[in-house]
């Protein structure tokens, strides 16, 4: 019987899950629970060998969400008791200084993930809720936590250090951690394979553009610079997050606008980025608004691509030599306009996008630079679930 891993990725109001056949790397079943704890009913979508199942039912919290997922597996299959489940893999966003490798979850690990919650307030609490619910359902199985921050533990001191008072920084653990590492690692490895090189031979710029977005400079297969920092708020423009702002904006809003710390946290994490500038967070809706002549949406798209190009240039400078620029995640894989605008005008760096190759959504790994280009530009669909499943299996043996 082949080995399967259930991978759980709990977000603030959602649970994404996949049942991965580790032998083939295929997802056998998967789905999404949304609108958890939002007052009204939750929505469930489950895809498996017997097709798609959609459901609407009360999902007051992540415990109920995980139980609803397990009920779906039991009802429409595949049966989790019959597929040979060897582990449950959990995405955990913030692992701090402590977790630079996947770990087996026990009560002490749960407590540590909870302690790290202030450094990923949107992510670690739901990650933990998913772990607790799944451990409750499968107490006999090994549960493995795989951390977004782990891949970035190689950040050199100059890249991970904020230029603030060293005593304050040390006392409070104020440093840059970086996130989306599971995706950056998977995409880097796939890209090296596509380029026909060993992973430790490639220099890459990897742009993970999903709802959250970050970009990483990879030297010799290792993360040496990345755009997210202490929390997943720094860096690129995102669906609902501002990315980089002058920190003085915060003091100004406190002193002059009378906003509280929590209000500013909500403003920058949930009411900024595309939703703040354009009123919608999904890039498809932004493009629709641009097409309808909405000037705010146009500006938001320009800010998004301007910031992205800024980082590509900066990371080129840090790396000195770049083999490939790679796009991944929802926007990176699907949005040819963002890819084109972000790399326009970089011919002198050897970075060129072929309009025909770039056109459209990319479901598979695709080179979008012309033949013979100095820097290969690619779209490589990410697969965080497969990466988590493989890391979980590697740990449990
Ligand atoms: N066809 C598309 N064109 C442009 N953007 C898209 C398209 N499909 C999805 N997206 C973007 O991808 C985002 C979701 O990306 P994803 O990587 O799934 O994010 P997350 O894992 O953070 O939920 C959506 O919010 C949307 O902005
Ligand atoms: C770390 C992070 O921003 O994750 P996501 O993109 O899933 O919100
Ligand atoms: Mg994601």
């Amino acid at each position: 019987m082949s080995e399967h891993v259930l991978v759980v990725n709990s977000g603030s109001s959602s649970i994404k899950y996949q049942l991965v056949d580790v032998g083939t790397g295929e997802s056998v079943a998967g789905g999404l629970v949304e609108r958890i704890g939002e007052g009204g009913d939750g929505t469930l979508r489950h895809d498996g060998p017997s097709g798609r199942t959609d459901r609407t039912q009360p999902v007051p919290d992540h415990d109920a969400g995980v139980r609803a997922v397990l009920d779906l597996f039991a009802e429409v299959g595949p049966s989790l008791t019959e597929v040979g489940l060897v582990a449950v893999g959990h995405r955990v966003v913030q692992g701090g200084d402590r977790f630079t490798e996947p770990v087996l979850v026990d009560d002490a690990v749960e407590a540590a993930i909870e302690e790290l919650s202030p450094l990923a307030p949107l992510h670690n609490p739901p990650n933990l809720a998913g772990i607790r619910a799944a451990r409750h359902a499968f107490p006999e199985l090994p549960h493995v936590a795989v951390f977004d921050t782990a891949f970035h533990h190689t950040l050199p001191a100059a890249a991970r250090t904020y230029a603030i008072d060293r005593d304050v920084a040390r006392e409070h653990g104020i440093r840059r951690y970086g996130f989306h590492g599971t995706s950056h690692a998977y995409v880097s490895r796939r890209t090296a394979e596509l380029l026909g090189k060993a992973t430790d031979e490639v220099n890459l710029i990897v742009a993970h553009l999903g709802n959250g977005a970050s970009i990483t400079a990879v030297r010799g297969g290792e993360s040496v610079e990345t755009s997210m920092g202490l929390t997943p708020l720094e860096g690129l423009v995102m669906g609902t997050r501002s990315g980089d702002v002058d920190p003085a904006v915060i003091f100004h809003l406190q002193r002059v606008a009378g906003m509280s710390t929590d209000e500013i946290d909500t403003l920058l994490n949930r009411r900024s980025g595309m939703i703040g500038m354009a009123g919608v967070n999904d890039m498809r809706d932004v493009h629709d608004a641009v097409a309808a002549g909405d000037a705010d949406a146009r500006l938001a798209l320009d800010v998004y691509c301007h910031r992205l190009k800024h980082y590509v240039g900066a990371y080129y400078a840090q790396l000195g030599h770049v083999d490939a620029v790679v796009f991944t995640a929802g926007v990176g894989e699907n949005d040819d306009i963002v890819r084109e605008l972000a790399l326009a005008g970089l011919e002198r760096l050897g970075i060129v996008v072929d309009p025909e190759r770039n056109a459209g959504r990319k479901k598979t790994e695709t080179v979008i630079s012309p033949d013979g280009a100095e820097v290969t530009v690619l779209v490589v669909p990410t697969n965080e679930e497969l990466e988590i499943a493989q890391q979980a299996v590697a740990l449990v043996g």
Side-chain angles (χ1 to χ4, degrees), residues 190-253:
R190 283 301 307 150
T191 302
E193 283 168 29
L194 293 164
L195 296 177
K197 293 192 173 189
T199 306
D200 62 5
E201 279 178 354
V202 288
N203 283 10
L204 309 171
I205 298 174
V206 182
H208 174 108
L209 312 176
N211 236 322
S214 69
I215 180 165
T216 296
V218 173
R219 176 183 286 128
E222 292 185 344
S223 170
V224 293
E225 179 59 279
T226 193
S227 59
M228 285 178 166
L230 177 74
T231 77
L233 180 56
E234 191 178 348
L236 298 174
V237 178
M238 309 181 214
T240 68
R241 290 171 242 164
S242 61
D244 298 332
V245 293
D246 181 342
V249 168
I250 296 163
F251 323 140
H252 185 84
L253 290 173

Side-chain angles (χ1 to χ4, degrees), residues 50 137 166 178-179 198 210 229 256 295 328-329 331 363 389:
S50 54
R166 63 195 164 188
F179 299 88
V256 179
T328 195
V331 177
K363 295 272 152 222

Side-chain angles (χ1 to χ4, degrees), residues 9 90-96 99 123-124 127 145-153 177-185 208 214 226 228 232 384 388:
N9 178 354
H90 298 270
R91 176 183 181 215
V92 179
V93 163
Q94 176 58 277
F99 299 111
H123 295 89
N124 269 37
N127 297 160
V146 177
F147 298 90
D148 263 43
T149 43
F151 180 61
H152 301 297
H153 82 274
Y177 290 100
F179 299 88
H180 294 134
T182 307
S183 176
H184 288 296
H208 174 108
S214 69
T226 193
M228 285 178 166
E384 289 163 289
I388 290 170

Side-chain angles (χ1 to χ4, degrees), residues 134-203:
R135 284 185 78 201
H136 184 74
F138 293 111
E140 74 290 357
L141 280 178
H143 290 256
V144 178
V146 177
F147 298 90
D148 263 43
T149 43
F151 180 61
H152 301 297
H153 82 274
T154 50
L155 284 180
R160 67 167 188 260
T161 305
Y162 287 115
I164 64 171
D165 181 281
R166 63 195 164 188
D167 297 328
V168 173
R170 278 181 203 140
E171 186 183 344
H172 298 286
I174 308 292
R175 50 155 288 189
R176 309 186 66 255
Y177 290 100
F179 299 88
H180 294 134
T182 307
S183 176
H184 288 296
Y186 172 83
V187 168
S188 298
R189 219 178 44 245
R190 283 301 307 150
T191 302
E193 283 168 29
L194 293 164
L195 296 177
K197 293 192 173 189
T199 306
D200 62 5
E201 279 178 354
V202 288
N203 283 10

